[in-house]
Amino acid sequence: MCTALSIKTADNKVFFGRNMDLAYNFNQRVLIMPPNYQYQDKVTGNVVINHKAIIGMGTVIDNHATFAEAMNKDGLACAGLNFGGYAYFEKESVEGKLNIAPYDLIQWALSNYTTVAEVKEAIKEIELVDAPINSETPVATLHWMLSDKSGESIVVEKTVEGIKVYDNPVGVMTNNPTFDWHLTNLNEYLFLSPVHHKKSVWSNKELHSLGIGSGTLGIPGDFASVSRFVRIAFIRANIPSINSDNEAVSQFFNMLDYVKMVRGGAMTEEGVEDLTIYSSCMDLDHGIYFYRTYDNSRINVIDIRKENVETTDIISFPYLTEQDYNFQN
């Protein structure tokens, strides 16, 4: 389970990120993939050369780097979220298509393209193939949200019906079912409002007993993906004007907290706690990656502009989980 989000400031700067909801860690850390980094395509066996500097949260398995979410130097960003029960990937390569593994879709998009519009066109030429990195690592069931510096956003899903690309007018995404279903389901919540209802529509009496927030009565409060989609879409639709980068980062993480999964709230079928192991936010204009972890609420910051990306090796940073404190006396 996960939640992805994009927001825009008053001066049209875009911030993009996500909650990573998992019952386990995947040896994650912030990675920078430099231009000219090379890796083997697990579908074709060919060597792939990266073309743009990419920063995001990822892992390296058998010398193969993959990202959970990332952005490139041009401000194009992508996040992969669980799509269990719906995702379908081809068992064999499809002739006439550019065949790639699902876990390489983020690198493919961010290595080659600058805008969502470019990706939307290029998606027509690819196919996603069920080719695991190794025998111990099955292919994750994913779908993807992409955003760019213009604020344009799309969702990419591959089901048994093929690859579908949806325009994303609400700027959010969670998990299953399919994205078009989520958009239709929002029509069930047209009554929601941040404005307090002062009087009952039935009796015209004052509603003091309900207190502030009565306009949100009926909003789903559980951890299910359908409910998280409604909550984060509602908050984003009513976001006030954001007037600085610092305000954007603060607002972004607080919005993600609204759909955060906490220990004790949800269990997997195996009886393991599912929780938000980290939350991330990316400044698409400046190439700055922010994240905080479940056990360390401090916001950690990595600026791709401060790194020498002339190397051909992956640059990685420690994943910080131990809580630190600001002692004021």
Side-chain angles (χ1 to χ4, degrees):
M1 300 291 107
C2 301
T3 303
L5 168 68
S6 70
I7 64 173
K8 184 182 288 189
T9 65
D11 57 352
N12 292 317
K13 293 180 180 177
V14 176
F15 291 76
F16 175 86
R18 60 100 58 80
N19 278 344
M20 172 60 82
D21 305 333
L22 273 180
Y24 57 89
N25 288 300
F26 55 98
N27 195 31
Q28 68 272 12
R29 59 185 56 210
V30 178
L31 307 175
I32 294 178
M33 180 182 286
N36 298 317
Y37 173 79
Q38 299 183 13
Y39 62 93
Q40 185 184 44
D41 186 308
K42 296 298 182 179
V43 178
T44 65
N46 297 331
V47 173
V48 178
I49 300 176
N50 187 48
H51 299 303
K52 298 177 185 288
I54 299 170
I55 183 172
M57 190 72 76
T59 188
V60 179
I61 304 173
D62 284 356
N63 297 315
H64 193 101
T66 65
F67 289 99
E69 80 282 339
M71 63 180 164
N72 66 21
K73 67 179 183 64
D74 296 316
L76 177 65
C78 182
L81 279 67
N82 187 44
F83 195 40
Y86 289 83
Y88 173 83
F89 306 124
E90 302 298 323
K91 301 305 178 184
E92 303 289 341
S93 297
V94 176
E95 187 175 354
K97 293 285 188 178
L98 174 62
N99 295 277
I100 62 176
Y103 47 80
D104 284 339
L105 184 138
I106 293 178
Q107 291 99 304
W108 166 79
L110 303 188
S111 171
N112 294 291
Y113 303 104
T114 301
T115 67
V116 162
E118 292 173 354
V119 176
K120 191 174 180 180
E121 185 64 26
I123 284 282
K124 300 174 183 177
E125 306 302 322
I126 76 165
E127 191 52 83
L128 298 174
V129 182
D130 187 1
I133 290 179
N134 58 33
S135 59
E136 289 78 37
T137 310
V139 173
T141 54
L142 300 172
H143 59 169
W144 298 267
M145 176 175 166
L146 296 98
S147 294
D148 62 25
K149 289 197 297 186
S150 74
E152 185 176 358
S153 180
I154 58 173
V155 168
V156 177
E157 296 180 341
K158 162 76 172 174
T159 67
V160 292
E161 298 177 350
I163 295 178
K164 293 186 178 181
V165 179
Y166 300 98
D167 291 327
N168 185 352
V170 294
V172 304
M173 188 177 85
T174 57
N175 311 105
N176 43 293
T178 56
F179 185 71
D180 56 338
W181 188 98
H182 282 292
L183 290 182
T184 301
N185 184 57
L186 288 180
N187 292 324
E188 298 294 320
Y189 298 93
L190 296 176
F191 59 86
L192 295 177
S193 170
V195 179
H196 174 59
H197 293 319
K198 296 182 178 180
K199 291 185 178 182
S200 168
V201 297
W202 307 110
S203 64
N204 202 35
K205 292 183 178 179
E206 297 292 331
L207 293 176
H208 299 302
S209 60
L210 296 180
I212 299 299
S214 63
T216 63
L217 287 174
I219 195 169
D222 56 81
F223 293 114
S225 61
V226 171
S227 301
R228 285 184 284 107
F229 191 101
V230 173
R231 289 207 305 282
I232 196 67
F234 168 75
I235 289 297
R236 187 184 183 277
N238 293 286
I239 188 172
S241 178
I242 300 173
N243 299 309
S244 71
D245 292 355
N246 285 339
E247 187 180 338
V249 173
S250 175
Q251 178 70 16
F252 199 97
F253 280 109
N254 279 294
M255 291 171 72
L256 288 180
D257 280 346
Y258 189 49
V259 289
K260 182 178 180 178
M261 300 183 72
V262 298
R263 287 193 176 106
M267 307 289 285
T268 67
E269 294 179 359
E270 295 75 26
V272 182
E273 290 177 321
D274 200 0
L275 54 91
T276 300
I277 60 174
Y278 72 82
S279 301
S280 67
C281 172
M282 291 174 271
D283 179 340
L284 302 191
D285 276 85
H286 298 113
I288 304 175
Y289 183 93
F290 306 84
Y291 81 96
R292 65 185 188 189
T293 64
Y294 190 92
D295 293 311
N296 181 6
S297 57
R298 181 181 187 180
I299 297 176
N300 305 288
V301 187
I302 299 170
D303 188 338
I304 196 172
R305 299 170 300 179
K306 295 182 179 180
E307 296 298 319
N308 176 16
V309 294
E310 298 305 315
T311 178
T312 57
D313 296 324
I314 289 286
I315 304 169
S316 67
F317 300 84
Y319 180 76
L320 303 179
T321 58
E322 184 174 349
Q323 183 65 59
D324 52 6
Y325 301 90
N326 176 33
F327 292 95
Q328 291 191 281
N329 64 6

